[in-house]
């Protein structure tokens, strides 16, 4: 197989979308597990080349998130409900954002980093994107390794 870079949002018709959907992976994460590390482990065990989070709900004992500037990591030292978890997942690259409802029902969120520890459970559902793989490339402007979406093609260029 060779890979061809594609632009996000250029999916085409419904038939093509259906063809790109792969397995749905449902996992329950348990008390004491680190949310990010558990998701990375699943990606490796399932040999995911490209997937997205369809759903992630549950609660954490404490959390850590990085702010939008990409500099400050904030500790949230209280029980929180996971009200949203989304992003891209693969065995080589995982980029997730999380929103949490605190005990006073205020909401905080940011870039998921190691340190979000599951309290009772996290119900995680991943959707594999068959026919795609994620790569990374250093973006000179941002200074980060940014995602590259690649559509798999046969060596002769056909899909």
């Amino acid at each position: 197989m060779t890979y061809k870079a594609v632009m996000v949002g250029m999916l085409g018709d419904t038939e093509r979308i259906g063809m790109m959907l792969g397995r749905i992976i449902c996992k329950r994460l348990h008390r004491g597990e680190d949310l990010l590390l558990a998701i990375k482990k699943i990606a490796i065990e399932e040999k995911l080349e490209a997937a997205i989070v369809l759903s992630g709900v549950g609660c954490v004992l404490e959390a850590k998130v990085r702010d939008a500037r990409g500099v400050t990591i904030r500790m949230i030292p209280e029980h929180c409900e996971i009200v949203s978890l989304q992003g891209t997942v693969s065995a080589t690259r995982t980029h997730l954002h999380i929103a949490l409802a605190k005990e006073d029902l205020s909401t905080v969120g940011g870039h998921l980093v190691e340190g979000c520890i599951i309290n009772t459970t996290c119900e995680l559902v991943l959707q594999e994107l068959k026919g795609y793989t994620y790569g990374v490339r250093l973006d000179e402007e941002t200074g980060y390794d940014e995602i590259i979406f690649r559509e798999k093609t046969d060596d002769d260029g056909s899909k």
Side-chain angles (χ1 to χ4, degrees), residues 62-113:
E62 60 187 22
K64 282 186 182 175
V65 295
R66 193 186 73 212
D67 68 7
R69 289 183 312 143
V71 176
T72 305
I73 294 177
R74 299 187 192 269
M75 181 69 182
I76 304 160
E78 63 182 85
H79 292 207
C80 296
E81 289 285 340
I82 301 168
V83 295
S84 178
L85 178 65
Q86 57 186 19
T88 54
V89 178
S90 76
T92 58
R93 181 189 192 279
T94 299
H95 182 192
L96 299 167
H97 289 186
I98 191 167
L100 301 159
K102 296 167 66 172
E103 290 178 333
D104 68 1
L105 301 182
S106 63
T107 305
V108 295
H111 181 91
L112 181 65
V113 297

Side-chain angles (χ1 to χ4, degrees), residues 115-128:
C116 283
I117 308 303
I118 303 298
N119 183 8
T120 55
T121 193
C122 176
E123 301 160 5
L124 179 69
V125 182
L126 303 175
Q127 172 71 66
E128 181 179 40

Side-chain angles (χ1 to χ4, degrees), residues 12 23 26 36 38 44 63 74 79 93-94 103 136 145 151 158:
R23 300 172 291 162
C26 303
L36 180 59
I44 291 167
R74 299 187 192 269
H79 292 207
R93 181 189 192 279
T94 299
E103 290 178 333
V136 294
D145 284 334
E151 187 175 8
S158 64

Side-chain angles (χ1 to χ4, degrees), residues 6 8 10 14 32 38 45-46 51 68 74 85 88 91 106 111 117 119 133 154 156:
V6 294
V8 178
M10 304 298 287
T14 304
E45 289 173 349
E46 297 290 338
R74 299 187 192 269
L85 178 65
T88 54
S106 63
H111 181 91
I117 308 303
N119 183 8
T133 187
D154 294 329
D156 66 1

